[in-house]
Amino acid sequence: MSRAQPVQHIAQTTFTVHTRGRSLSEVTSRVAEAISASGVSTGLANVFVQHTSASLLIGENADPTVVADLERFFARLVPDGDPLFRHQDEGPDDMPAHVRSVLTGVSLSVPVHNGKPLLGTWQGVFLYEHRHEAHQRKITVTVTGH
């Protein structure tokens, strides 16, 4: 078991992802770059997307059918244009995008080991765009540790 050590360093960076509309964009390499640039060897990275109609998730990054299956699942769970929703200021995908974001989350914690994200073999970090139109989404990575 390793000995607890105090936080000696905090670094923060923000990057922009240009989405293609409703889809998942893998951002693992961008998060890894932010962690590496932080100078933190062991610690924790908080990854946060600054939007209410996009989210973050850690998921399978080896088989692209997983991404397609996730979208089919969410299309069934939270369909666009559902008459349940009154908020439609920006169209029929507006409120469903907010619900999808709440369900999947806007932040992640990723352990840092040897200056790299400590992810499993098939895990990747994804930005999930919930709107049909393309957007520019800002992601902030805050790394703490030593």
Side-chain angles (χ1 to χ4, degrees), residues 24 63-76 128:
L24 282 102
D63 184 350
T65 62
V66 172
V67 170
D69 287 345
L70 279 171
E71 183 48 42
R72 281 193 298 278
F73 172 78
F74 275 101
R76 181 183 293 170
Y128 196 173

Side-chain angles (χ1 to χ4, degrees), residues 11-102:
Q12 188 173 76
T13 187
T14 299
F15 60 87
T16 301
V17 177
H18 302 274
T19 70
R20 305 177 316 269
R22 185 173 284 167
S23 62
L24 282 102
S25 300
E26 187 168 3
V27 295
T28 309
S29 63
R30 306 275 305 268
V31 171
E33 289 170 15
I35 291 170
S36 177
S38 76
V40 170
S41 175
T42 302
L44 189 65
N46 175 269
V47 186
F48 177 78
V49 62
Q50 303 174 18
H51 303 277
T52 62
S53 54
S55 60
L56 296 166
L57 56 88
I58 294 176
E60 161 91 40
N61 70 349
D63 184 350
T65 62
V66 172
V67 170
D69 287 345
L70 279 171
E71 183 48 42
R72 281 193 298 278
F73 172 78
F74 275 101
R76 181 183 293 170
L77 184 65
V78 190
D80 292 334
D82 190 319
L84 172 71
F85 302 128
R86 294 181 2 196
H87 175 77
Q88 295 185 20
D89 292 353
E90 297 176 30
D93 68 337
D94 192 7
M95 189 60 204
H98 296 309
V99 172
R100 287 168 174 234
S101 177
V102 168

